[in-house]
Every structure is written in structure tokens, then in C-alpha cells.
Amino acid sequence: MNATANALVIEELSAGYGDTQVLWDVSLRVEPGEIVALIGSNGAGKSTLLGAVSGIVNTWSGGVRYGSAVMSGLEPDRVVSAGVVQVPQGRRLFGSLSVEDNLRMGAYLRRDREVDADLEKILAMLPRLRERYDYLAGRLSGGEQQQVAIGRALMARPKMLLIDEMSLGLAPVLVDQLIEILARIHATGVSILIVEQDVQTALEVSSRAYVLETGRVTLSGPSAQLLDDPQVKKAYLGV
Amino acid sequence: MNPATLKRIGLGGITGNPIAFAVVLALMALLLAIPLTHNGYIELVFRNILMYAAMAYGWNLIGGYTGYVSFGNVAFFGIGAYCSAILATHGVDNLLLYVLLAMAVSAVFAAIVGFPVLRLKGHYFAIATLGVALAVTDIIANLDALGGTGGLALHQVDEAHFSIYYYAMWLVALGSMLGTYFIARSKLGYAFVAIRENEDAAAVLGISATRYKIVAWTIGAMMAGAAGAVFAPANGFIDPSITFAIDSNVFPIAMTILGGIGTVAGPFIGALLLAGANELLQRFFVKAHTLFFGAMIVLIVLLLPRGLVWLFGLRGGARAWLKSLSVYKA
Ligand SMILES: Nc1ncnc2c1ncn2[C@@H]1O[C@H](COP(=O)(O)OP(=O)(O)OP(=O)(O)O)[C@@H](O)[C@H]1O
Ligand SMILES: [Mg+2]
């Protein structure tokens, strides 16, 4: 998990499905070592943006760079190998494989010999998974499943972690646990882009944030500032 | 892609129960002795079992490991059979050549057809593959060069050398089984399973579903093609209705599911049981054998929903088994 610092730069990105455009000239950057939040209501295009970065959704125009490497147009495996790894919305585990195998699948593209050592580090960080090591992933509770999804992404040795709706459907106490885990991952030098429904939490853990509305960035700035923004308060914090 | 790299990322392999696999290997060794009975009927029965086993292994890769339920694999069997027939009618009399050509042609055909068809999922994929099988049948039935509906006669080897086809089919079945074993122990097998379990998750981890689905489908096609290549000269005559029989399409699927889907031992155990039982029932119940056969399939699915292979891993005897049934009811 020794991260080399690189900035993720999304420039004027447009993307969509079929002939429906979802993203309109979105620009966003995550500096090395930063935690950046992306917030927005349902259907705003947050997952589509992460998909475009990961090479799963086709980009129409504009681009994605990681450091000096162009990511847009690359196959997903190249993006993962470059160190940009996604924890997808809804966890998307391999349900009838064990927790161990799910974690190891995260290392699918790796050719180095430190997979076992990394697995050990990840289990130390997520001790609950050690207790559930031989369980089928599909049988775990929601919080445990989210930990597997995060652990699996870590097994790919990310330098830039994209986390989609981590807190969805989880009790606040579990969300707090996950936030603590994120802090520890961040402390190892991994940059993080979090997409969140839980806007309060997202703005608390991030240093900067972007607001996405119907495919356009309408607001961005330091998270502390957005927490006080009347527009954000009204639309996302319900105050 | 090979066991070494698999070991490096520490995955243990998805071969299924090791005892079941050992038992299957032992049974395969025993089957080598069948021609020693000098009983043409018994040899034919077991050659068919081996043929179905090879086809079941072919289906298991795409339907079992990768989770794409195909009803089109009989097309590859048929293509393999016709490859042999074409070579035979052109005076080529070399079984190895038959098999190699059949595997090559099946693979190329599978890759080309797979490209559009494997973009479909679930029911749509199933129906499209059935369409492929029907289309191939229809094309061959209408090609005079391939004998049309009248079929093609292949030159028969003399009685004394008849067992050559038995051994050839044995090798095809063994090759399919061991091929499956090594795939299941490699990263390739895990790519297949990742696609089956969750295609989106596979994509996010950099496992290209498009690529690996084609690989699973194409390797499976080669297994069925090889079986067809041996079947044609062994049978001495092929036509569209024999080659693309509904049995050849449905049996391998039923065998894989009853034996244990997504395992290395399952397809063989299923083939042995179903083809064997079918043969026995036909002998003893001339009229009602299909009824008993159907009832047997229903019973196995109800009592052993995870296939016969599952019995090998059963700990705790009858109680554990009963518990498994109540789990399924819930
Ligand atoms: N695979 C797809 N094919 C077609 N349209 C899609 C697809 N995925 C998403 N969309 C559409 O794109 C738009 C943006 O969806 P997206 O999932 O990116 O939103 P989101 O901001 O992540 O929403 P949520 O907060 O609910 O996760 C929606 O209108 C959605 O219906
Ligand atoms: Mg989303």
C-alpha cells in the first residue's frame, strides 16, 4: 500500500448511456493524499462518473488523467493496474465465494509476491473479516459485506480509492466504524474520492467536496465551507 | 493464468471436492478395461457415457463455471462430427486429424458466434444459443455437399479395430476432465467464477467479462467438437437428426447439474449415472422407461439439489443431509 503520489484529474468530462447524456463537462480533481467528497441527489450521475474513471462507462468527450497517464479510453484492467480502484455501489461481492477468496480476487491482476503480506495487513485493519474468513460473502451482514468490498479493493493495491455509497443502508454506528477504517487507509497514503448519500458525514471526513446536480458540477470548495453553505444545508442537510 | 500465478495470489482453486475427483479418476482408469469384455453392446454404452461426459465438461465451463446457460453446445458437437465426415469422404483416414480439425473449426466457429451471442444475458442468451444450434442444424440439412437430410456414410473400420473409437472417446473425455481441472486450478477458472458471481464486480477488478466469456465458451466448444469428431466415424453414419438430437443437447446439461455444476467431478458422475440409468431402464422397461428416467431426474434434483458430488463432502450423515433439505425448503 505504499502509494506514489499522483493527482486524479477529470477534465470537462461528458458521458452517458446509449444516446442519453448523463454527465456534462464535469471537471474534478483529487490531489495526492486528499480525501474528496462527491455529493448529489439520486440519479445525478455520481456512479456514472466513477464508472467513467474506471473504464466501465464510455467517455464521450473530455478526459481522465492519473498523474501523467491518460485513463480515459483504457480498459478497466489498465485503470486498476495504474492504481485507481473502485469500491462499487451496492458492494457487489462474489456471493458464493468465501470472504478469503473475495479478498484474494482483489489481487487478480497482481504479479508481485506480496499478496499474502497485504492480506495480513488488511485483516489486521479489518479484524471482523478474520472472524468471518471462511464464510460465504453472501451470508454476511451489510456492514461486514461493506468491509469485504473495501478489503477487496485494497488487495488491488490502490493509490487512489473511489468509494461509491459506502454508508448506504447501514446503521450510524457502522458508518462511524467504516469512517474510522477510511481514516486508517488514508493514513497509509491512499487518496480517496468518496461518493455519499450521507452528506453530513462526507463533508466531515473530506477536505474538499463537489456537488453534482443532473450531471453538472454546480458547487465545489472546501468541505467546511460547504457545510455552512445555505444552499447545501437546504438541499442536502435538511436544515 | 497458470497455477503458479494462482498460487501467488493464494487462491486454492475451484475444483470441487478432491475425494470426488479422485474417485472419478479411479473410475476413468477402470473404464479403460471395458473393451476387454469383448462385448460390443457394453462398449457402445460406455462409449456413449464418455461422449456425454466430454460434452458435459464442455457445457460446464460456460454454463457451470461462468454461469451462462447455453442450449447451443450441440452445434459444436455436430460441427465436430461433420468435420470428420468431410475428411472421411475425402479419403482421409486418421482419427487424430479428425479430432484436431474438429477442435479447430469448433473453436473458430464458437469465437465468431460467441462475440455477439455472449453479449446477451440470462434467458436471452439461452434462447440465442438455442437459435445457433437450430440454425447450424438447418444449414447442414440444406447443404447437399454435406449430404443434406440424407446424411453421410463414413467408411467403417473392420470389427477387429473397432475399440479404437472407444479409446479415442476415453481420451477425449479424459482430456476434457483434466482440462477442466487445470482451468479450475488456474486464475482463468477464477475469472469464469467472478463473471458468474458478479459481472460488475469482475469489471471493477479489471476482469474483462467479454474476454473470459469467449474463452470459456470456446474451450467448451472444443470439447464438444472433439467428442463429435470421434462419434461420427464410430457411428459410421451421420445425418442432422442423429447429430443434433435433442438428447445430445439436453443430456449434457442435465448430467452436469445432477452430477454437480461448476465442479470437476460432477459432469462425469452425472454422465455415468444418467446415461447408465437410461440404458438400464430401456432394457428393463421397454415401454415406461422415459417415465422412470424422468422420475429419477426429479428425485435427484429434489433430494440432492447441489448434485451428487455434494455427497462426497457431506459430514454428519443422514442428519446433515436432512438439514440441507430443510434449508432448501426455506
Ligand atoms: N447502465 C445504465 N444504462 C442506462 N442508464 C443508466 C445506467 N446507469 C445509470 N443510468 C442512468 O444515468 C443516470 C445517472 O445514474 P447514476 O447511477 O450515475 O446516478 P447516481 O448519482 O449514482 O445515483 P444514486 O445516488 O442513486 O446512486 C440516471 O438517470 C440513471 O437512470
Ligand atoms: Mg450511484
Side-chain angles (χ1 to χ4, degrees):
Chain A
M1 275 177 272
N2 306 309
T4 345
N6 266 325
L8 178 73
V9 182
I10 300 169
E11 261 170 354
E12 312 249 304
L13 184 79
S14 293
Y17 306 94
D19 41 37
T20 318
Q21 184 163 359
V22 174
L23 298 176
W24 308 74
D25 300 320
V26 174
S27 295
L28 179 156
R29 47 191 303 144
V30 184
E31 298 296 337
E34 254 193 320
I35 299 183
V36 171
L38 176 65
I39 58 179
S41 34
N42 289 122
K46 306 179 296 293
S47 298
T48 304
L49 183 66
L50 295 195
V53 173
S54 288
I56 294 159
V57 174
N58 287 333
T59 55
W60 293 6
S61 64
V64 180
R65 277 184 295 117
Y66 182 61
S68 55
V70 176
M71 294 287 111
S72 25
L74 290 188
E75 291 294 320
D77 54 341
R78 306 293 293 277
V79 179
V80 171
S81 297
V84 179
V85 183
Q86 187 183 149
V87 181
Q89 183 171 352
R91 292 139 208 166
R92 309 223 186 276
L93 299 183
F94 303 117
S96 64
L97 298 189
S98 68
V99 168
E100 175 182 5
D101 280 0
N102 268 271
L103 293 173
R104 289 187 183 277
M105 283 297 256
Y108 195 85
L109 299 173
R110 287 173 56 174
R111 307 212 173 278
D112 60 89
R113 294 175 179 279
E114 289 153 36
V115 171
D116 283 333
D118 280 3
L119 186 61
E120 201 42 50
K121 280 186 211 162
I122 287 164
L123 289 174
M125 191 186 281
L126 306 167
R128 188 73 187 152
L129 298 191
R130 203 192 291 278
E131 290 164 34
R132 292 283 177 268
Y133 207 47
D134 295 324
Y135 280 51
L136 297 187
R139 297 268 169 86
L140 301 185
S141 74
E144 290 166 344
Q145 289 198 3
Q146 189 63 63
Q147 292 196 26
V148 176
I150 292 172
R152 187 180 64 185
L154 291 179
M155 286 297 287
R157 286 206 159 174
K159 300 169 203 160
M160 175 72 59
L161 200 55
L162 317 171
I163 308 184
D164 201 350
E165 310 274 17
M166 179 181 74
S167 68
L168 200 66
L170 299 182
V173 48
L174 290 176
V175 177
D176 289 346
Q177 270 178 25
L178 290 172
I179 293 295
E180 233 170 82
I181 290 164
L182 278 199
R184 262 179 279 159
I185 295 168
H186 183 236
T188 65
V190 178
S191 319
I192 301 174
L193 175 61
I194 49 169
V195 166
E196 265 303 325
Q197 294 267 331
D198 183 348
V199 172
Q200 179 84 32
T201 306
L203 292 179
E204 277 168 13
V205 299
S206 58
S207 56
R208 289 188 308 113
Y210 294 80
V211 178
L212 195 66
E213 277 172 20
T214 56
R216 291 183 175 82
V217 172
T218 51
L219 203 62
S220 66
S223 301
Q225 212 168 305
L226 290 192
L227 265 175
D228 284 334
D229 187 283
Q231 232 180 300
V232 173
K233 274 186 168 167
K234 187 156 170 273
Y236 300 105
L237 299 173
V239 271
Chain B
M1 298 278 259
N2 59 49
T5 51
L6 181 68
K7 202 157 182 203
R8 202 170 296 164
I9 65 170
L11 289 164
I14 28 184
T15 50
N17 189 291
I19 301 167
F21 183 51
V23 167
V24 162
L25 281 180
L27 286 172
M28 272 303 274
L30 279 180
L31 288 195
L32 262 183
I34 291 293
L36 302 180
T37 62
H38 295 292
N39 180 328
Y41 167 71
I42 289 195
E43 191 173 312
L44 177 68
V45 169
F46 279 93
R47 197 184 70 215
N48 278 335
I49 288 174
L50 292 167
M51 177 183 85
Y52 282 126
M55 293 168 77
Y57 279 108
W59 186 85
N60 192 30
L61 284 184
I62 187 74
Y65 281 104
T66 317
Y68 274 68
V69 174
S70 159
F71 287 100
N73 282 32
V74 71
F76 310 128
F77 176 81
I79 286 170
Y82 272 89
C83 282
S84 290
I86 292 167
L87 284 180
T89 50
H90 285 79
V92 180
D93 186 16
N94 182 326
L95 199 48
L96 182 63
L97 273 186
Y98 292 180
V99 172
L100 291 179
L101 180 78
M103 287 172 73
V105 175
S106 308
V108 170
F109 177 76
I112 293 170
V113 170
F115 204 73
V117 168
L118 286 164
R119 300 176 81 92
L120 304 169
K121 285 182 187 170
H123 308 68
Y124 300 99
F125 173 78
I127 291 299
T129 53
L130 186 60
V132 169
L134 294 175
V136 169
T137 313
D138 220 46
I139 289 169
I140 290 179
N142 283 294
L143 279 179
D144 289 338
L146 297 180
T149 46
L152 286 171
L154 288 86
H155 127 102
Q156 276 272 18
V157 195
D158 55 288
E159 283 285 315
H161 293 104
F162 193 68
S163 296
I164 188 98
Y165 297 119
Y166 180 87
Y167 291 118
M169 202 62 98
W170 185 87
L171 279 175
V172 169
L174 184 75
S176 306
M177 179 191 295
L178 294 182
T180 305
Y181 177 74
F182 287 113
I183 288 169
R185 281 178 54 86
S186 74
K187 280 180 87 171
L188 190 57
Y190 270 92
F192 296 167
V193 170
I195 292 166
R196 176 186 76 200
E197 293 294 310
N198 198 318
E199 236 176 285
D200 296 329
V204 161
L205 297 177
I207 300 168
S208 162
T210 323
R211 184 185 316 155
Y212 291 113
K213 277 188 286 191
I214 296 253
V215 173
W217 165 256
T218 303
I219 299 176
M222 289 162 76
M223 294 174 178
V230 178
F231 167 77
N235 202 51
F237 168 79
I238 58 168
D239 69 17
S241 66
I242 296 178
T243 321
F244 300 97
I246 189 83
D247 282 3
S248 311
N249 203 5
V250 175
F251 270 24
I253 302 175
M255 288 160 174
T256 310
I257 293 171
L258 296 188
I261 195 166
T263 67
V264 179
F268 178 82
I269 292 178
L272 194 64
L273 184 89
L274 272 202
N278 191 32
E279 202 58 46
L280 286 177
L281 289 170
Q282 278 188 36
R283 260 175 93 92
F284 294 116
F285 306 97
V286 181
K287 285 213 173 99
H289 71 268
T290 10
L291 179 68
F292 288 115
F293 188 61
M296 185 187 83
I297 293 182
V298 172
L299 271 180
I300 298 177
V301 172
L302 282 176
L303 297 179
L304 291 170
R306 276 171 270 191
L308 290 156
V309 164
W310 182 74
L311 279 178
F312 287 90
L314 187 64
R315 301 275 175 276
R319 183 171 296 182
W321 170 66
L322 280 172
K323 215 169 141 194
S324 84
L325 289 181
S326 60
V327 165
Y328 258 82
K329 252 179 239 148

